[in-house]
Structure formats: structure tokens, C-alpha cells
Amino acid sequence: MKLAERIARLEIESAFDVLVKARALEATGRSVVHLEIGEPDFPTPPHIVDAAKLALDQGWTRYGPTQGLPELREAIAAYISRTRNVSVSERNVCVVPGAKPILFFSMLALLEPGDEVVYPDPGFPIYRSMIQYLGAKPVPVPLLESRGFSFDLNILRDRLSSRTRLLILNSPQNPTGGVIPGEDLREIAALVRDRDLMVLSDEIYSRIYYTAEAPASIATLPGMLEKTILLDGFSKTYSMTGWRLGYGVMPEWLVEGVNKLMVNSNSCAASFTQRAALAALTGPQIAVEQMVEQFRNRRDVFCRALNTIPGFRCTPPGGAFYAFANVEQTGIPSKDLADRLLERAGVACLNGGSFGEHGEGYIRFSFANSLENLLEAIRRMKEMR
Ligand code: PLP
């Protein structure tokens, strides 16, 4: 037997690869500062953990509705309606295990072989992986450092064609931390409003931002709600990466397709984690605010320090918890530099090129780590020979 041909079209996420390499180094006694993986280093807030424990004691241990528990879907619909200034109902919400399945399921539900998908480069590697897996055509649009890692809108316009079925937006963005300005979103909406396509708006970092205003969602703009799949979840906002819970908000006709895929794969997301997620959304938000304040402080200190390393240049990001440093002036290809930083300096980080061709020349550092460890990483990088 051998693997089906389509499996070869799936790619991996380099963060998990580098983590394995780093762990192997640690097993030989080396010390590694982990700046590779994209997850908050804070514990899940205690009131959310307590809600999960209570739910287990109360017997929330059985299958639930495929689309998600009605009370959670209602809370999500109210939350999205409030924060995105739109009007959605629980009928528009699909609760799934982690946000990733929303990417997977919406693309499975929408794309035919040969359809084109326009997506950001550098970008979350799963986008291209899924597009290729489905036999659709990946159409990358470069993000420009000079525009705060937003699109060049002229290039975006050129890349849209009569075969474009999906446009993927991600703001705040992984790996650059870029936030799409409201003005750009309006122009993007004007470009796609009359086209026969959907927009997948990946807003998983929606609450982690350092700009004066919350990042805008394209769903808010006139005529866009019915064309948008809004992806968000609990992993990053509530430090719940291991709980696996996310959701999509989308038009009802698409919910039907996603529900079918859920029934065929997961049946439903875990019931007690959904009860905990309800507590996350409806309970106190102070832990989120405190986490973001800590990220802001780390961002300021870490980016300033990165700029003191010869050959490194880093503009503080507007959101997420990634510093995307331009390392072209070091004269070392970013892949080699990332390898050297791990092997020689004990600093695990990601080659920007692993996020797409236009990420070459950059290194992604996650600053979801203590200030002490971040400064230790800087010290090690400065001393590296
Ligand atoms: N979208 C982006 C841009 C991400 O960076 C991630 C996680 O790293 C996800 C989606 C997936 O989130 P989850 O862990 O909830 O599946």
C-alpha cells in the first residue's frame, strides 16, 4: 500500500518541525529559548478552567449538536454582532474543534479543482496547503513591509480573475503582525463586492492588537457580510490552544455544507469545552486585557532590542505576538540564519520563507515568552559567531 496522491499535496507547519528539532537539542543538554511556536504563554484564565471542571461534574460528557451547543452559538453570535457591528444569529455560527477546521471545511465546501484562491504571502502555511490539497490554484499576493505588511492593492486587483472563488484575508496577521488599515479594507471590499467569490476573513488574533482602534473586519462593510466567512476562536484570545475550540460565522447556505463535513468527521466539538468557552465569552475579560498589555510591553522591548543587532530591522507589529524581522542586511539567507540561531545560539525561531516566497529575508520571532527569555535570546543572538 502507499499513501494517496493527494496527501503529497499537503504541507506541514514549520513551527511544529522546529519545535521537534529544538526539543531534540534540549534532550542533548543544550538550552533553547523557544520563540518558534505561536501560542500565548499564559495559563487559561481560572474561571474558564473552573467552568470546564463544573461542566464535567455536571455530565457535559456526551455528544452535542453538530453545529455547536445553542447557548454557545447564541453567545458567539451576540459577541460577533457587537464587536464587528453586524447582525448575525446563532444560525450563522459553526463551532468546531480549533479554528483550523473552519479553514479546512469552508475550502472543502466551496472549491472545485482549478478554482483560484488569492491569499497573503507570507501567510499562515495552512492556506496554501489546503488550496493545493483540493486541486485549486494558489494565487499569492505579496505583503509589503513598506505598507505595514498590507497588500499592494494594485497587485491584488491584478491577481483577481473570473476564476477566483476565494480571497483569504488575515488581520492581525501571522507571521508579520500586520493589521489591514480600514481604508485598505474598504478598497478590497470595492474590488470584490460584485464578484462571484467568498472572503475568508481569518480574525483569530482579533483581540491581540496594539493599534488605537480594534482591527476592522471586512464583514462590517456594506454588502460584505453575505460574502464573508469570519473565522475566530478561543485559542489565542483566551490562551486555550490545547482545548481545540474555534468557530466560523457564515451565510446559512454555507453552514449546511460545514455541518455535513462536521458530521462526517468530528460529529461535534467536545461538550464540556464548549461550556468553558461560554464562560470565556460571557465572563470577565480582564485576563485578556492583562495579557495584551504584557504582549505590548514585550513587543516594545523586544523589537527595540532586535534593532540593535547588526543586520536586523524590525518595525513593531500592530497586532498578534510576532516580530517579523528583516534580516537581509546580515547577508545570510533567512533559512540558514534560522538554522544557525537554533544550533549555535539556542534560539528557536522560524524562517520567514516557510510562510511563502515573499517571507524570504525575514525571521519570525514569537514574543509570547517572558521578558527575561526574550532578552536572553537577544543576548545570545548578539554573541553568536
Ligand atoms: N489562523 C491563523 C492565522 C493562525 O495563526 C492559527 C494558529 O496558529 C490558526 C488560524 C489556527 O488556530 P487554532 O489553533 O484555533 O486552530
Side-chain angles (χ1 to χ4, degrees), residues 97-246:
K100 262 182 186 169
I102 291 296
L103 294 176
F104 197 0
F105 294 159
S106 51
M107 290 201 224
L108 265 169
L110 288 173
L111 299 177
E112 302 285 1
D115 285 350
E116 294 180 5
V117 182
V118 175
Y119 67 101
D121 180 344
F124 189 43
I126 303 306
Y127 304 149
R128 190 178 65 188
S129 175
M130 285 309 308
I131 299 165
Q132 287 175 175
Y133 176 72
L134 294 169
K137 183 173 169 211
V139 182
V141 179
L143 296 181
L144 306 182
E145 184 184 350
S146 58
R147 299 206 71 237
F149 293 108
S150 262
F151 294 128
D152 175 328
L153 295 170
N154 291 323
I155 301 181
L156 174 63
R157 184 182 301 110
D158 288 349
R159 303 277 154 98
L160 293 168
S161 84
S162 59
R163 306 216 60 175
T164 312
R165 283 292 151 268
L166 192 65
L167 166 66
I168 303 179
L169 302 178
N170 177 208
S171 172
Q173 212 248 352
N174 176 9
T176 65
V179 173
I180 306 179
E183 184 55 35
D184 282 18
L185 274 184
R186 278 188 286 279
E187 288 198 34
I188 296 169
L191 287 177
V192 301
R193 193 172 281 119
D194 296 326
R195 288 176 178 269
D196 187 18
L197 55 72
M198 292 293 288
V199 177
L200 177 54
S201 183
D202 183 341
E203 303 181 14
I204 193 80
Y205 297 100
S206 59
R207 296 278 289 278
I208 304 174
Y209 60 89
Y210 317 105
T211 45
E213 309 236 323
S217 170
I218 197 160
T220 312
L221 299 174
M224 290 309 297
L225 186 59
E226 50 269 35
K227 295 183 91 76
T228 304
I229 303 146
L230 192 158
L231 172 156
D232 204 339
F234 298 88
S235 299
K236 319 282 176 177
T237 304
Y238 298 102
S239 221
M240 290 172 72
T241 46
W243 294 64
R244 308 313 299 135
L245 209 61

Side-chain angles (χ1 to χ4, degrees), residues 12-23 36-37 342 350:
I12 44 102
E13 237 189 289
S14 66
F16 290 101
D17 252 16
V18 174
L19 181 64
V20 170
K21 271 200 210 159
R23 294 257 184 262
E36 76 279 43
I37 204 85
L342 176 59
L350 301 182

Side-chain angles (χ1 to χ4, degrees), residues 301-302 305 370-380:
V301 173
F302 187 61
S370 68
L371 213 43
E372 190 191 346
N373 284 341
L374 290 168
L375 291 175
E376 171 62 14
I378 296 284
R379 192 189 63 74
R380 292 180 182 199

Side-chain angles (χ1 to χ4, degrees), residues 21-137:
K21 271 200 210 159
R23 294 257 184 262
L25 267 186
E26 285 174 312
T28 68
R30 291 277 308 281
S31 141
V32 175
V33 183
H34 289 275
L35 306 185
E36 76 279 43
I37 204 85
E39 66 178 346
D41 55 319
F42 298 97
T44 305
H47 70 280
I48 303 176
V49 176
D50 288 344
K53 288 180 186 162
L54 179 66
L56 283 169
D57 287 339
Q58 289 175 335
W60 292 90
T61 53
R62 300 177 178 277
Y63 292 131
T66 296
Q67 201 175 331
L69 295 176
E71 59 272 35
L72 177 59
R73 284 194 282 122
E74 265 160 34
I76 292 170
Y79 170 74
I80 292 296
S81 298
R82 189 175 73 244
T83 53
R84 284 21 177 230
N85 197 19
V86 291
S87 174
V88 293
S89 88
E90 40 80 30
R91 292 190 306 280
N92 301 108
V93 178
C94 295
V95 178
V96 293
K100 262 182 186 169
I102 291 296
L103 294 176
F104 197 0
F105 294 159
S106 51
M107 290 201 224
L108 265 169
L110 288 173
L111 299 177
E112 302 285 1
D115 285 350
E116 294 180 5
V117 182
V118 175
Y119 67 101
D121 180 344
F124 189 43
I126 303 306
Y127 304 149
R128 190 178 65 188
S129 175
M130 285 309 308
I131 299 165
Q132 287 175 175
Y133 176 72
L134 294 169
K137 183 173 169 211

Side-chain angles (χ1 to χ4, degrees), residues 145 149 302-303 305-315 323-341 347 349-354 358-365 378 381 384:
E145 184 184 350
F149 293 108
F302 187 61
C303 292
L306 276 177
N307 281 314
T308 65
I309 302 177
F312 281 46
R313 181 179 74 219
C314 180
T315 313
F324 204 57
N326 182 318
V327 294
E328 275 165 354
Q329 295 300 317
T330 62
I332 308 168
S334 50
K335 162 93 178 69
D336 296 351
L337 184 58
D339 288 345
R340 279 192 220 178
L341 287 173
V347 175
C349 53
L350 301 182
N351 164 28
S354 64
H358 294 278
E360 291 295 342
Y362 295 85
I363 300 265
R364 190 194 83 171
F365 298 97
I378 296 284
M381 291 194 280
M384 187 180 81

